[in-house]
Amino acid sequence: MADFLQRDPRSPAFWDERFEREFTPWDRGAAPQALRDFVAAQPPRRCLIPGCGAAHELVLLADAGWDVTAIDFAPAAVQKGKAVAGRHAERVVEADFFAWQPQGEPLQLIYERAFLCALPPAMRPQVAARWAALLPAGGLLAGYFFFDNIPKGPPFGIARSELEELLSSHFDCIEDQPVSDSIAVFEGKERWMIWQRRA
């Protein structure tokens, strides 16, 4: 285990240190299968990827014709994301999820991949409220949710009942599937889920 100076995942410096030292055990190096299947079955949508890291999913979505923006508040993560994104590099933006605003048309989808579990549990209501504020009625929150009860993190797991309580005031769960291609840090503890924003 690497000996890191930065210990607060609420700080960009925490993530900068890990990207700079290439310690990213949450990065599978490619877009996961459930997302690939989802994109293949959907028309292109306007999409946001918060906490994008290396932005592998952005490449999949942009190549499929989606209007996608990937954001991260850590400069080193943005640098890595731009390098991975290649010709789509301008779609990777340094920004704070809680302050970022879409320009033009409203979002149709927010993709969740290790963003909620990257932040301390006390921030979960703030994350859920921001998801709800950014998505109009009918918009989708789709991605991977990490279920675990170990208090140390990141990743910080959540109980299924807590996730349902967190989202149920604004969202309905319309899909919930097991994940067969998890990487080690998430194996056996994540679900592919789609939540639809209620009016």
Side-chain angles (χ1 to χ4, degrees), residues 45-144:
R45 299 174 186 259
R46 184 144 202 244
C47 176
L48 174 69
I49 306 175
C52 66
H56 301 287
E57 292 93 339
L58 176 135
V59 176
L60 170 71
L61 292 162
D63 283 347
W66 289 49
D67 179 5
V68 55
T69 300
I71 63 173
D72 206 298
F73 73 164
V78 171
Q79 183 178 3
K80 174 69 173 180
K82 285 182 176 292
V84 169
R87 64 191 179 94
H88 303 301
E90 77 285 351
R91 295 176 178 268
V92 182
V93 177
E94 185 179 331
D96 180 346
F97 171 69
F98 299 103
W100 179 87
Q101 292 289 345
Q103 302 297 313
E105 295 296 314
L107 294 173
Q108 296 169 298
L109 183 138
I110 295 175
Y111 173 64
E112 164 60 21
R113 180 57 166 167
F115 180 68
L116 182 65
C117 69
L119 296 172
M123 294 187 69
R124 288 171 183 163
Q126 189 180 355
V127 174
R130 187 74 180 132
W131 282 336
L134 285 169
L135 286 170
L140 300 179
L141 170 66
Y144 296 85

Side-chain angles (χ1 to χ4, degrees), residues 4 9-10 15 22 24 33 36 55 82 96 110 127 135 137-138 143 146 152 154 162 164 178 180 185 198:
F4 294 108
R10 296 170 298 177
W15 302 101
E22 299 184 354
T24 56
Q33 190 59 47
R36 293 179 180 277
K82 285 182 176 292
D96 180 346
I110 295 175
V127 174
L135 286 170
F146 176 60
K152 185 172 169 52
E162 185 182 350
E164 290 170 355
S180 60
V185 69
R198 284 200 303 277

Side-chain angles (χ1 to χ4, degrees), residues 31-39 42 57 60-61 66 109-113 140-147 160 163 173-182 189-195:
Q33 190 59 47
L35 178 64
R36 293 179 180 277
D37 295 342
F38 177 76
V39 170
Q42 298 286 325
E57 292 93 339
L60 170 71
L61 292 162
W66 289 49
L109 183 138
I110 295 175
Y111 173 64
E112 164 60 21
R113 180 57 166 167
L140 300 179
L141 170 66
Y144 296 85
F145 293 84
F146 176 60
F147 298 104
R160 179 178 292 271
L163 181 66
C173 185
I174 61 172
E175 186 170 324
D176 179 2
Q177 300 289 337
V179 177
S180 60
D181 63 341
S182 300
K189 298 179 179 179
E190 64 178 346
R191 305 279 296 182
W192 165 263
M193 304 178 83
I194 302 175
W195 298 80

